[in-house]
Every structure is written in structure tokens, then in C-alpha cells.
Amino acid sequence: PVVHEITGFINALTEDEQVDLVALMRLGRGDGTIEEWKDLRREALEGRNGRTAGYLLGEPMLGDFLAEGLDEFGLSWSDERTTPIN
């Protein structure tokens, strides 16, 4: 059920949002630096194949990499909700 829920969430993102998510994961993984953000985004866009969710979920350390990527932007991840559940 969790994979289905995350897949649905990722698939509901716009193309730009999916590109940003892939680039953020790659930034956190160390594939580039914050100064190379445009290059990471371009590479993510060029590699799009309609299977973004599967690609991301195939990365065992996805959560850690996304958190590291956010850290590069000076944003911290927390488990506290920033928006209410409707």
C-alpha cells in the first residue's frame, strides 16, 4: 500500500515537479553541487521516460538523499506537518 500511495503522489506531480524531485535526489546523492542545479535539472529532464516513480522508489536511500538535497538548499526536513490534512 505504501508503494502504491507514493507512486500515486509522484505521478500526480507536474512534469516540472517530477524533474525537480529527481534532480533533488541526485543532488543529495552527490551527483552534483548546488551550483550545478541547472545541469542536474537538465539531465533529469532529458532522462524522463514516464517511469519517475519507479526510478525514485528503486533508490534504497531515497529519503536520505532527498533530505540531503533539501539541506543543500538550506531547508531542513522534519516529520512535522506544514499543511493540514483535509
Side-chain angles (χ1 to χ4, degrees):
V2 172
V3 170
H4 182 71
E5 184 177 347
I6 294 172
T7 298
F9 174 81
I10 292 170
N11 289 340
L13 296 173
T14 67
E15 180 177 330
D16 278 343
E17 290 168 335
Q18 289 183 21
V19 167
D20 284 341
L21 193 58
V22 170
L24 185 66
M25 184 274 298
R26 291 178 178 174
L27 175 66
R29 190 170 65 185
D31 294 353
T33 65
I34 193 72
E35 291 81 17
E36 299 168 314
W37 177 249
K38 288 183 181 180
D39 293 331
L40 289 169
R41 279 198 91 253
R42 180 184 42 75
E43 291 167 7
L45 181 61
E46 290 172 356
R48 269 188 58 75
N49 60 11
R51 298 190 309 256
T52 302
Y55 170 70
L56 290 171
L57 290 173
E59 180 56 63
M61 297 193 49
L62 176 63
D64 293 332
F65 292 149
L66 291 174
E68 289 292 324
L70 288 173
D71 189 52
E72 290 293 318
F73 279 99
L75 302 170
S76 69
W77 175 89
S78 75
D79 57 355
E80 296 178 21
R81 249 184 220 292
T82 57
T83 57
I85 299 176
N86 293 329

